[in-house]
Amino acid sequence: RISSTVTFITSEQATNLRSVTTDISTRDSMTKEGDVNDTKSDAEDPGDGQLAKESLFYPHVFITDDKFTWLPAKLTKPVGIEDNTATVELDIPGDWSKSTVDGETVDRNEIREVNLKDYPDYELPKQNIDRSGKLLAEEDMSDLPNLHEASVLYNLKDRHYRNLPYTRVGDITVAMNPFHWIDAIEKEREMKEKMEAGKGDLQDSFFNKPVDTFAPHVYETSAYAYHDLMTTEQNQSILVSGESGAGKTETVKIVLRHIATIENSISTAACPTEDTGDLEQPEIVSKILKVEPIFEAFGNAVTRHNNNSSRFGKFTSIYLDKKETKRCGFESVYAVTGSSFVTYLLEKTRVVSHGPGERSFHIFYHLLNAPEEFKASVWDGLKDTTQESFSYLGSTEINQIDDRSESQLWEAIQTSLAVIGVEGEKMISLMRALCIVLQLGNLTFSPDPQDAEGSVISSQDELLKLSHLMGIDPSVIENAITKRKVKAGFDWIETKVTAADSKDSCDALAKKIYAQLFAMLKENINESTAPADIDANINSSDHKYGCISMLDLFGFESFKVNRFEQLCINYANERIQHRYVVDNFLSVKDEYEREGIETFDVSDIENSAVLKLLEGRMGVFSILNDECIRPKGNAESFVYKLKTIYKDSYHLVVKNLDRPWEFSIKHFAATVKYDARNFVARNNDQLPKDVLECVCKCTNDIIHSRFETIASERAKQPTGIRRKMGAASATVCTKFRNKIIELMEFLLTSKIRYIRCIKPNENSSPHTTDHLVTMRQLGSAGLVKAVNIAREIYPNSLSHDKVWVRFRCLTRLNIDENLEVKEKVSILLNEQFKDQVSSSGCHNSFYRVGATKVFFKPGQLELIESRRATRKQKAATIINNRAKAYRKKKDFQTLKRGAILVQALARRNKEQTELKKKKDFILAIQCAIRLARARRTLQKKKEDRAATIIQNSQRSRIARKEYTRYKNAADMLLRAMKRKLNRDKFDAALAVVVERARMDERRKKLLSKLANIEKDDILKECEVLIQYLGDELFDERGHVYEVRAKLRKEQEKNAQLRAKNENLGANTGAQKIEKTQLVTQNKNLTRRLSSLNQSKNTLNASLRDLRLAESTRASEQRKSFALMQNEMSTRIDQLNADFDQSFQVQDGEVTRLKRKLELAEKKHKDSEASLKLEHQGIIDQYEEDLSNMLSALEECKSNHESEYSSMKESLMRQIEESEAALCAQQMKNTKNVPKTIDDVDPSVKCRYCGASSDNWKRNPNDQSMKMKVDSKNNDPRSSKVKLEEHRTDSQSSVGSENSVGGKRRSALYRRSSR
């Protein structure tokens, strides 16, 4: 982006911002003083001064040459301002003969006289020389110090010689065809460097680093296109242009392979295979790469420029589908899902004719070198044939393409055709169609012996072969080619045509068939590779896929004879040039004009007028279409109309020496002369109706279906008045123009990148450059003009608000917030760039402030962005340090509280251990006492038990019989009761298990809640205690269930015993004793159950207390965290406030000191001025008195010698008066100055000698005081005035002064004189 003005602060704003301007002016003055000092130091150093003088003379220049365009040379002497010629000596490099075509013909030390009128501004172009004296070779030609045609040429030449084929020109990549595959080691290194994206390290490759960190490569273009598609989701287009042989096809293949595999290369699934080390490719990617040989076989041919030259234009679109996956720092990547191809302007004339040393399309030669078995299966007449067997092919010595034989290429094309489904019978039909094309070329025509105006096919054998191939009767073919049906009124009349016209019809049919075969293959390729929901034959952006497109089109062409094809090719290049200018310059220019910034001139490369001449309403194409519709239209009429309509056009060059069918157009690259003799015929490009009807009868499936479609479309064409419109829309130029316009509309929706291919020489020899060939292509591509304009562009821009918001943190100036954003931004940027000085000598060339935006030169926005990042990093470091300090302090406090808690727990454990020991000792004493009592009770019970047993044994004998009788009944009852008891036990055990599971679940919930709280030692102990109490609780509950079961059992037994008591009287006593024991046991169990209930209640209460304590602690922790957070935010705000306050205080102190300094300087200047005025007054008075004295003395001496004594007294009196006046002026607080000695107060004494005025009055001729005046130059400032000491022999009051006082007074007088 470009501008030459900068918005500065106005005078009113400067008044409001006095502190800001003072700071800036002070720094500027310091900078100027530093510059002056540097200049003085340079002047004082003789070595630097000599270098400065030598730098004014720059001897390394370029001069023009008819053979080499530009030659390096040296000036033998400096060129004067008024000189029109210069003497130079050729300065040919040492590698000239190796790097230049015909370089041996140059005399290395030749002296030439150069006319400066032939150069712009009477100045020779300067070379770009480094310190060692070698020519500079930059990777980006925008960085060349001296940029012109010669520097661009030699920069490309040097890189080409060093096997560096790629060079940048801003955003354009220039590719020089190396004419050989670069050394494998260098290629591997380059691939490794450029394909870092393929190793999964996408962020370290082209995507997140500046462009100038990598060597130029076409991978840069494809990688940035893929990156922009991912980040902006905008379609991308890459335009590859250049002459035939410049390497466009190989460049497109390289870019296509890179784009097709870039997603797979960054995917984690991509891994090198064991055999080749290549990346595994998805099926669609492999298919896209395999169809390329089909286009090469059917669309490429051998020309005098290139052995594999594309003879058609191709627009390739790669469709990519978005995948939501995070890879290499991106939210999503794009995977290849398909492709489509659109072709332009196939060179059909190459089917029927080609120049010497050239060939027709490759596919014919591949077919003739196929295996004989396959040739025989296609057509019997194809067996044992060679290229000499067919007139269209002729003979040629070329039998290899890119070091591959025709047989190898045939196998490759078979594989590629099988990929798109052309195999089997379809393959045979395709090859037979090619044989039909070749056989049409073997037909020869001669005049009809019966009618001289007619013709016949003289080669009947070839006609029979063609008839066999097409499946049509020979007479039908002959009549269709040699005769015409013309409609006369309502009748059709059959007429004969000449042999030449018949040959033209035959050639037109061959070209039409081949064009239809090419179109059919293109459609099959699109159907095979395009996504299912896209019409691949139409350029459209109305789909869900991302798209990266590549245009491989002929470059600008200008030959000795330029025909209709060159006009179409150059029209397409004009369209592309216009798109390039609009995208890169006109849109920028319009934006600069809206922003109020001075713009650059694009008139040299803007070509709207040429496009209007070509495609306007009455342009070249429109006039040509009218001539094609008009009966008997011809080239002379077309050229006459064109020159008549555009006779005043600047871009249509009319010369008197041109022939009637010649005209010239001034294109953006060069002026091209066209030969229009075949324009009308080639623009029509329609088969005669008879020939079309004949071809529709062909038995070949491909030819029949394609020409039936053509016939049906022709039948639908309008008739009558609308016939002309339909005929005009069917012409070649109209179709091609519509295709180009459709292409341009598609490109409008995408971001365009450019690759310019250059052919360094015509001989296809590596490392050498032909200057004339290269310069012709540079002029055609407009690279030099593009570079000159690109250097003036400001590529980065931001709005005023964004600049102010993002970069206001960088300024230390106190900028008034009430100013407009634009003014604040201007002040801010002036401060940021004040230390930088460009080549123009001012810092404001690094940016421009527009009406709504700020525009930056390349690298300047990144510079202040880096400053902003550094500033933020420093602030973040301070905040991070404070946060770390706070966190460390918090951790210390936590550790401190933990240590206190551990100490408390340790003391508690110690006390608990001692308490447990005491309890154990007391329990042991109690157990001993209880044991003694229990022993005594046991002894008594044993005695009672023995007596009871004796009684029972006696009673048992009596009751045994009774017992035996009831035993069986009791056993039966017992079995029944056991079954019931077992069921009750099972129910009780089941209830225990269920209760245990329920408690486990509740315990787990409690533990999960406790797990969310930060655990410490107390929580861990509580958890262990809860675990233990829970287990104990479950155990006691199990015991309770068992006791309850036993109680139920005993109750049932009691009931049984009561029943038995009624029947068994003998066992009453024993049952009573047992009953008593059971009752006692029941009481004990009851008491134990009550104690267990109490413990349960106690545990529940402790659990509630624990929950309450934990909730209380959690709330306290949350409160403390909130307080800590508030405190932290408060401290951060306080730090920011202190930071801002310190800046304000510093700025205020600086302002106060500056004001104080200004006041001191002003006061000093005032005092200095007053002192100067006072000193000047004294000097003037002395001067006047002295001049009066000298004039009077001279007058008296010359005229009145007799009166010398009286004049001397008068002179002494005047001297005394002047001394008195001087003494009076120096007296303090003296306002009235005496005019004469008599007026002096007698009490006043001289401050120098101490003599009183009364003494002067009494002794006016006192010789003790003498005035010595040195008047060499009659200047009072140089006079030496001195008061001598009083003579020691004098007895007067003056002579009584001591010598010390006299010396002191003399010193005072001398100091006052100074």
Side-chain angles (χ1 to χ4, degrees):
R1 319 215 179 264
I2 191 164
S3 175
S4 61
T5 59
V6 177
T7 305
F8 291 99
I9 306 174
T10 60
S11 57
E12 293 81 1
Q13 295 165 355
T15 304
N16 296 330
L17 299 174
R18 193 170 298 170
S19 61
V20 176
T21 53
T22 303
D23 183 39
I24 295 175
S25 62
T26 304
R27 294 181 180 179
D28 289 344
S29 63
M30 294 173 65
T31 304
K32 292 178 181 178
E33 291 175 3
D35 295 340
V36 172
N37 294 333
D38 293 341
T39 305
K40 291 180 179 179
S41 62
D42 293 340
E44 292 171 0
D45 190 351
D48 294 344
Q50 185 68 22
L51 291 175
K53 292 179 182 179
E54 291 180 358
S55 64
L56 297 176
F57 175 56
Y58 193 88
H60 301 283
V61 294
F62 289 105
I63 62 172
T64 57
D65 185 76
D66 296 336
K67 185 174 182 179
F68 298 99
T69 64
W70 293 98
L71 287 175
K74 283 185 178 180
L75 288 170
T76 58
K77 61 179 181 179
V79 180
I81 299 176
E82 298 179 354
D83 293 343
N84 293 326
T85 60
T87 304
V88 298
E89 179 183 359
L90 295 185
D91 185 18
I92 305 301
D95 57 357
W96 179 267
S97 59
K98 297 180 181 179
S99 62
T100 311
V101 176
D102 297 333
E104 299 84 359
T105 60
V106 178
D107 186 2
R108 295 179 178 271
N109 298 321
E110 181 182 355
I111 304 294
R112 294 189 182 184
E113 195 78 14
V114 179
N115 189 358
L116 297 180
K117 294 181 180 180
D118 299 334
Y119 298 89
D121 299 330
Y122 290 81
E123 184 179 0
L124 295 175
K126 297 179 181 179
Q127 299 182 29
N128 298 302
I129 302 296
D130 60 9
R131 293 183 180 273
S132 62
K134 296 182 179 179
L135 285 172
L136 289 174
E138 297 289 348
E139 294 180 345
D140 192 336
M141 286 190 285
S142 300
D143 298 333
L144 291 173
N146 301 308
L147 184 62
H148 40 74
E149 288 184 356
S151 62
V152 171
L153 171 64
Y154 279 83
N155 190 84
L156 293 175
K157 175 183 176 181
D158 182 76
R159 292 181 62 81
H160 173 64
Y161 179 71
R162 294 188 289 118
N163 269 340
L164 300 173
Y166 302 112
T167 310
R168 292 192 196 95
V169 184
D171 293 335
I172 305 173
T173 300
V174 180
M176 294 278 284
N177 192 347
F179 291 120
H180 73 289
W181 290 108
I182 299 175
D183 184 76
I185 298 176
E186 184 171 356
K187 185 177 179 182
E188 181 181 357
R189 177 189 63 79
E190 238 179 63
M191 290 289 290
K192 183 176 180 182
E193 179 181 344
K194 302 300 178 294
M195 286 291 287
E196 287 182 0
K199 303 302 180 184
D201 196 7
L202 198 63
Q203 288 187 342
D204 289 338
S205 59
F206 294 103
F207 294 93
N208 281 352
K209 288 187 177 181
V211 176
D212 53 4
T213 59
F214 291 99
H217 200 280
V218 292
Y219 287 145
E220 174 187 323
T221 305
S222 55
Y224 278 116
Y226 185 87
H227 176 266
D228 287 353
L229 179 63
M230 283 196 300
T231 54
T232 65
E233 297 185 356
Q234 182 186 8
N235 293 337
Q236 306 290 313
S237 295
I238 300 173
L239 271 58
V240 183
S241 62
E243 284 190 0
S244 177
K248 300 188 302 298
T249 303
E250 289 298 330
T251 300
V252 170
K253 286 161 62 176
I254 293 171
V255 174
L256 177 61
R257 291 193 188 100
H258 188 224
I259 292 175
T261 57
I262 190 170
E263 184 274 334
N264 189 44
S265 64
I266 66 174
S267 175
T268 56
C271 58
T273 60
E274 296 180 359
D275 297 333
T276 62
D278 295 332
L279 292 173
E280 296 179 356
Q281 298 172 352
E283 181 181 358
I284 185 62
V285 174
S286 178
K287 185 179 293 187
I288 292 172
L289 297 178
K290 286 180 180 179
V291 299
E292 189 64 29
I294 300 176
F295 285 112
E296 290 189 10
F298 285 85
N300 290 17
V302 175
T303 65
R304 61 187 180 90
H305 302 291
N306 187 4
N307 284 352
N308 192 23
S309 176
S310 298
R311 308 317 301 160
F312 67 101
K314 182 176 62 174
F315 187 70
T316 306
S317 298
I318 303 297
Y319 299 105
L320 301 101
D321 193 12
K322 187 176 182 180
K323 289 184 178 180
E324 297 294 338
T325 176
K326 291 188 177 181
R327 292 177 186 169
C328 303
F330 297 99
E331 296 293 334
S332 61
V333 296
Y334 280 81
V336 177
T337 59
S339 66
S340 67
F341 302 88
V342 179
T343 57
Y344 302 93
L345 209 64
L346 176 67
E347 190 182 10
K348 296 179 291 184
T349 56
R350 187 164 290 273
V351 176
V352 298
S353 65
H354 50 79
E358 297 184 349
R359 296 198 325 180
S360 185
F361 292 104
H362 293 327
I363 186 61
F364 297 118
Y365 305 92
H366 299 344
L367 176 60
L368 293 177
N369 285 274
E372 293 297 331
E373 297 80 5
F374 179 81
K375 292 165 66 177
S377 65
V378 173
W379 178 41
D380 294 338
L382 193 61
K383 191 175 182 181
D384 297 330
T385 56
T386 61
Q387 58 190 16
E388 289 82 6
S389 303
F390 300 98
S391 299
Y392 282 163
L393 301 182
S395 62
T396 178
E397 298 178 356
I398 299 174
N399 54 10
Q400 285 188 342
I401 304 298
D402 293 338
D403 298 330
R404 299 174 68 187
S405 65
E406 300 288 354
S407 302
Q408 293 174 336
L409 293 171
W410 169 252
E411 295 176 359
I413 192 62
Q414 273 190 312
T415 305
S416 298
L417 288 172
V419 170
I420 63 173
V422 179
E423 53 187 347
E425 291 298 327
K426 196 171 183 180
M427 178 72 170
I428 298 297
S429 298
L430 177 62
M431 296 299 112
R432 286 177 67 88
L434 292 175
C435 292
I436 291 173
V437 174
L438 293 175
Q439 193 60 30
L440 283 170
N442 288 345
L443 297 181
T444 58
F445 300 88
S446 61
D448 189 354
Q450 300 177 0
D451 187 357
E453 294 182 356
S455 61
V456 294
I457 298 177
S458 57
S459 55
Q460 290 295 320
D461 294 339
E462 301 295 338
L463 178 61
L464 290 175
K465 293 179 182 179
L466 178 63
S467 173
H468 175 67
L469 278 170
M470 298 183 70
I472 305 174
D473 188 80
S475 61
V476 176
I477 298 175
E478 185 174 6
N479 291 333
I481 296 176
T482 59
K483 296 179 181 180
R484 294 286 180 273
K485 288 182 180 180
V486 180
K487 189 174 183 180
F490 295 97
D491 299 327
W492 289 91
I493 301 174
E494 188 176 76
T495 61
K496 295 182 178 181
V497 296
T498 62
D501 292 339
S502 298
K503 181 61 177 175
D504 291 341
S505 298
C506 182
D507 293 344
L509 176 59
K511 293 188 289 185
K512 195 70 174 181
I513 292 174
Y514 190 83
Q516 290 302 312
L517 294 178
F518 188 81
M520 182 271 296
L521 289 173
K522 185 257 297 182
E523 293 171 3
N524 286 356
I525 291 172
N526 287 341
E527 292 174 1
S528 177
T529 60
D533 53 348
I534 288 181
D535 186 359
N537 297 313
I538 300 176
N539 283 333
S540 175
S541 59
D542 188 14
H543 50 75
K544 65 178 181 179
Y545 302 104
C547 181
I548 299 179
S549 304
M550 289 158 287
L551 178 63
D552 176 11
L553 197 63
F554 300 102
F556 184 84
E557 291 187 352
S558 178
F559 303 133
K560 291 182 178 179
V561 178
N562 299 284
R563 305 192 184 277
F564 179 72
E565 289 78 8
Q566 279 69 47
L567 177 64
C568 295
I569 290 169
N570 292 340
Y571 163 69
N573 280 273
E574 289 286 356
R575 267 289 184 179
I576 294 173
Q577 174 69 12
H578 183 259
R579 181 78 267 146
Y580 173 73
V581 172
V582 170
D583 290 341
N584 294 277
F585 302 123
L586 292 184
S587 58
V588 176
K589 182 179 180 182
D590 295 340
E591 184 179 11
Y592 288 176
E593 290 176 352
R594 290 194 303 270
E595 293 291 331
I597 296 175
E598 286 188 6
T599 59
F600 45 85
D601 184 17
V602 295
S603 58
D604 292 341
I605 59 175
E606 209 281 325
N607 60 343
S608 299
V610 182
L611 286 176
K612 185 177 180 181
L613 171 64
L614 291 172
E615 63 179 9
R617 184 176 180 182
M618 290 298 293
V620 174
F621 291 154
S622 177
I623 297 173
L624 182 59
N625 289 336
D626 292 341
E627 199 65 25
C628 292
I629 297 171
R630 188 177 66 85
K632 296 183 180 180
N634 54 70
E636 291 81 358
S637 177
F638 161 68
V639 174
Y640 176 76
K641 292 179 182 179
L642 180 63
K643 291 183 177 180
T644 303
I645 295 174
Y646 290 98
K647 60 182 179 180
D648 297 329
S649 175
Y650 170 74
H651 293 280
L652 182 66
V653 180
V654 179
K655 296 181 180 179
N656 296 328
L657 297 178
D658 287 345
R659 297 176 181 178
W661 55 80
E662 291 180 347
F663 67 97
S664 301
I665 295 179
K666 189 176 182 61
H667 291 281
F668 76 95
T671 301
V672 181
K673 180 186 287 187
Y674 295 99
D675 187 343
R677 279 179 289 187
N678 292 323
F679 274 30
V680 176
R682 294 187 180 182
N683 190 37
N684 274 323
D685 194 31
Q686 285 191 353
L687 289 176
K689 187 176 181 180
D690 302 7
V691 178
L692 181 59
E693 291 176 352
C694 175
V695 177
C696 290
K697 298 175 183 178
C698 181
T699 57
N700 187 284
D701 296 336
I702 298 176
I703 295 177
H704 178 75
S705 61
R706 301 294 297 188
F707 280 86
E708 280 288 344
T709 304
I710 294 174
S712 62
E713 291 178 354
R714 182 178 293 188
K716 295 178 183 179
Q717 288 182 358
T719 58
I721 299 175
R722 297 167 58 189
R723 182 180 64 84
K724 290 187 177 182
M725 296 177 60
S729 63
T731 58
V732 173
C733 66
T734 301
K735 292 179 180 178
F736 182 67
R737 175 176 173 271
N738 293 336
K739 269 191 168 184
I740 294 296
I741 291 175
E742 183 182 350
L743 172 64
M744 293 299 112
E745 290 176 353
F746 176 79
L747 294 178
L748 281 175
T749 63
S750 64
K751 182 177 181 180
I752 307 175
R753 302 177 185 276
Y754 298 87
I755 299 177
R756 303 287 192 184
C757 297
I758 303 294
K759 178 175 60 176
N761 57 73
E762 298 285 0
N763 303 324
S764 300
S765 58
H767 304 294
T768 59
T769 303
D770 190 328
H771 289 199
L772 290 174
V773 174
T774 305
M775 281 306 303
R776 184 186 70 236
Q777 297 172 80
L778 291 177
S780 301
L783 289 178
V784 179
K785 298 176 183 177
V787 172
N788 287 327
I789 294 178
R791 297 180 81 174
E792 301 178 3
I793 286 179
Y794 295 78
N796 302 318
S797 64
L798 288 175
S799 63
H800 293 162
D801 294 332
K802 287 185 178 180
V803 172
W804 177 246
V805 171
R806 288 185 65 81
F807 305 119
R808 63 183 300 180
C809 60
L810 299 178
T811 181
R812 294 180 177 274
L813 301 177
N814 187 16
I815 301 177
D816 189 1
E817 293 292 339
N818 296 324
L819 293 175
E820 295 183 358
V821 180
K822 181 178 179 181
E823 299 173 356
K824 293 189 289 186
V825 167
S826 299
I827 300 172
L828 172 65
L829 295 179
N830 282 335
E831 181 196 10
Q832 294 302 315
F833 291 98
K834 65 178 181 295
D835 296 331
Q836 292 182 254
V837 179
S838 65
S839 59
S840 61
C842 57
H843 65 79
N844 57 10
S845 62
F846 293 107
Y847 66 93
R848 289 291 184 270
V849 180
T852 60
K853 292 181 180 180
V854 180
F855 300 89
F856 297 92
K857 280 283 189 180
Q860 304 310 313
L861 182 59
E862 290 80 357
L863 174 63
I864 57 176
E865 283 284 1
S866 64
R867 292 178 182 175
R868 175 176 176 268
T870 304
R871 183 68 177 271
K872 285 188 172 292
Q873 184 179 6
K874 291 181 180 179
T877 303
I878 295 173
I879 297 173
N880 191 21
N881 292 337
R882 298 294 178 87
K884 286 181 179 179
Y886 177 79
R887 189 169 59 203
K888 293 293 183 181
K889 182 179 180 181
K890 186 68 176 179
D891 294 342
F892 171 74
Q893 292 176 352
T894 303
L895 291 174
K896 184 178 180 181
R897 289 195 298 268
I900 294 172
L901 182 60
V902 169
Q903 292 174 356
L905 290 175
R907 287 194 292 267
R908 186 188 69 178
N909 291 335
K910 183 178 179 181
E911 295 296 332
Q912 286 179 350
T913 303
E914 294 178 356
L915 178 62
K916 186 177 180 181
K917 288 181 179 180
K918 291 180 181 179
K919 284 184 178 181
D920 292 340
F921 182 73
I922 294 171
L923 185 61
I925 296 173
Q926 291 176 352
C927 287
I929 297 172
R930 290 183 187 135
L931 180 61
R933 291 178 182 176
R935 285 175 178 173
R936 289 195 296 269
T937 303
L938 180 62
Q939 186 64 31
K940 184 178 179 180
K941 285 184 178 182
K942 285 182 179 180
E943 293 174 356
D944 294 341
R945 182 70 175 172
T948 303
I949 290 172
I950 294 171
Q951 293 175 0
N952 288 339
S953 63
Q954 183 64 29
R955 291 170 183 165
S956 64
R957 291 192 193 97
I958 299 171
R960 185 169 289 117
K961 290 183 180 181
E962 191 70 19
Y963 172 74
T964 303
R965 190 161 56 90
Y966 289 107
K967 182 177 180 180
N968 294 329
D971 291 338
M972 183 179 63
L973 293 174
L974 182 61
R975 285 193 295 272
M977 291 301 295
K978 283 183 178 181
R979 284 194 299 271
K980 185 177 180 182
L981 288 175
N982 289 334
R983 187 179 295 109
D984 294 337
K985 286 182 179 180
F986 174 76
D987 294 339
L990 180 61
V992 170
V993 172
V994 171
E995 184 65 17
R996 179 180 290 273
R998 186 180 297 110
M999 293 303 294
D1000 286 338
E1001 186 67 20
R1002 293 179 62 187
R1003 183 172 62 84
K1004 289 179 180 178
K1005 291 180 179 180
L1006 179 60
L1007 291 176
S1008 63
K1009 292 180 180 179
L1010 292 176
N1012 296 328
I1013 306 175
E1014 184 180 1
K1015 292 183 179 182
D1016 53 9
D1017 296 337
I1018 296 178
L1019 292 178
K1020 291 180 181 179
E1021 289 184 3
C1022 291
E1023 183 178 354
V1024 173
L1025 182 60
I1026 291 171
Q1027 180 75 23
Y1028 172 76
L1029 293 176
D1031 294 339
E1032 289 294 324
L1033 179 62
F1034 292 143
D1035 293 339
E1036 292 300 326
R1037 284 185 176 177
H1039 292 314
V1040 170
Y1041 283 116
E1042 291 177 0
V1043 170
R1044 287 180 179 177
K1046 289 180 180 180
L1047 179 61
R1048 286 194 298 271
K1049 178 180 177 182
E1050 294 301 327
Q1051 287 176 353
E1052 291 173 356
K1053 286 182 179 182
N1054 190 18
Q1056 290 177 3
L1057 291 173
R1058 286 178 182 176
K1060 289 180 181 181
N1061 192 25
E1062 295 176 356
N1063 298 323
L1064 299 174
N1067 295 327
T1068 302
Q1071 293 295 333
K1072 287 183 179 180
I1073 295 171
E1074 189 173 1
K1075 179 182 178 182
T1076 303
Q1077 292 177 356
L1078 290 174
V1079 170
T1080 305
Q1081 188 176 3
N1082 189 17
K1083 290 181 180 179
N1084 293 333
L1085 291 175
T1086 303
R1087 286 194 297 270
R1088 188 173 181 182
L1089 179 62
S1090 63
S1091 64
L1092 289 174
N1093 290 331
Q1094 291 178 1
S1095 62
K1096 175 183 176 182
N1097 296 332
T1098 304
L1099 288 174
N1100 289 332
S1102 62
L1103 183 60
R1104 286 193 299 271
D1105 295 337
L1106 287 174
R1107 289 177 178 174
L1108 182 60
E1110 290 302 324
S1111 62
T1112 304
R1113 179 171 178 176
S1115 62
E1116 289 178 355
Q1117 286 181 349
R1118 286 193 295 270
K1119 290 180 181 178
S1120 63
F1121 181 77
L1123 291 174
M1124 177 182 68
Q1125 194 172 11
N1126 295 333
E1127 183 180 358
M1128 188 65 186
S1129 60
T1130 304
R1131 294 191 65 183
I1132 290 174
D1133 295 338
Q1134 185 177 0
L1135 287 173
N1136 292 332
D1138 295 340
F1139 188 77
D1140 296 337
Q1141 186 177 1
S1142 63
F1143 268 115
Q1144 294 176 1
V1145 170
Q1146 184 179 3
D1147 292 340
E1149 185 67 19
V1150 170
T1151 304
R1152 187 181 63 80
L1153 290 174
K1154 288 177 181 178
R1155 291 178 179 175
K1156 186 174 180 181
L1157 181 61
E1158 288 178 355
L1159 293 175
E1161 289 180 351
K1162 185 176 180 182
K1163 186 175 180 181
H1164 175 70
K1165 289 179 180 179
D1166 295 341
S1167 60
E1168 184 179 1
S1170 61
L1171 289 174
K1172 286 182 179 179
L1173 291 174
E1174 183 178 356
H1175 183 262
Q1176 186 65 32
I1178 295 173
I1179 291 174
D1180 293 341
Q1181 185 176 358
Y1182 267 112
E1183 199 172 311
E1184 183 181 359
D1185 293 341
L1186 189 57
S1187 62
N1188 293 332
M1189 286 188 294
L1190 292 176
S1191 59
L1193 182 60
E1194 290 295 330
E1195 183 180 0
C1196 291
K1197 187 176 180 180
S1198 59
N1199 299 324
H1200 306 283
E1201 290 184 359
S1202 60
E1203 299 178 358
Y1204 175 74
S1205 59
S1206 62
M1207 291 297 297
K1208 183 178 179 180
E1209 293 177 359
S1210 176
L1211 179 61
M1212 291 301 298
R1213 188 178 295 106
Q1214 290 179 3
I1215 290 172
E1216 290 175 357
E1217 290 177 357
S1218 63
E1219 288 178 354
L1222 179 61
C1223 293
Q1225 286 180 0
Q1226 297 298 330
M1227 290 180 181
K1228 294 181 180 180
N1229 300 324
T1230 303
K1231 296 181 180 180
N1232 298 322
V1233 181
K1235 297 180 180 180
T1236 60
I1237 294 178
D1238 298 333
D1239 297 332
V1240 177
D1241 188 4
S1243 62
V1244 177
K1245 294 182 179 181
C1246 179
R1247 60 185 299 182
Y1248 301 112
C1249 59
S1252 62
S1253 58
D1254 185 54
N1255 188 24
W1256 294 344
K1257 292 178 182 180
R1258 291 192 305 270
N1259 301 310
N1261 298 324
D1262 187 4
Q1263 298 296 325
S1264 64
M1265 185 179 298
K1266 295 182 178 179
M1267 178 79 68
K1268 295 182 179 180
V1269 180
D1270 183 9
S1271 58
K1272 293 181 180 180
N1273 52 5
N1274 200 18
D1275 187 359
R1277 287 173 292 180
S1278 62
S1279 301
K1280 297 179 181 179
V1281 182
K1282 180 180 178 182
L1283 183 65
E1284 293 184 352
E1285 298 179 0
H1286 295 287
R1287 297 179 180 179
T1288 55
D1289 54 354
S1290 177
Q1291 299 300 321
S1292 63
S1293 60
V1294 177
S1296 64
E1297 294 289 334
N1298 57 36
S1299 61
V1300 178
K1303 290 181 181 180
R1304 182 169 61 252
R1305 286 190 295 272
S1306 178
L1308 288 174
Y1309 184 81
R1310 288 195 299 270
R1311 183 171 60 189
S1312 177
S1313 300
R1314 287 197 295 269

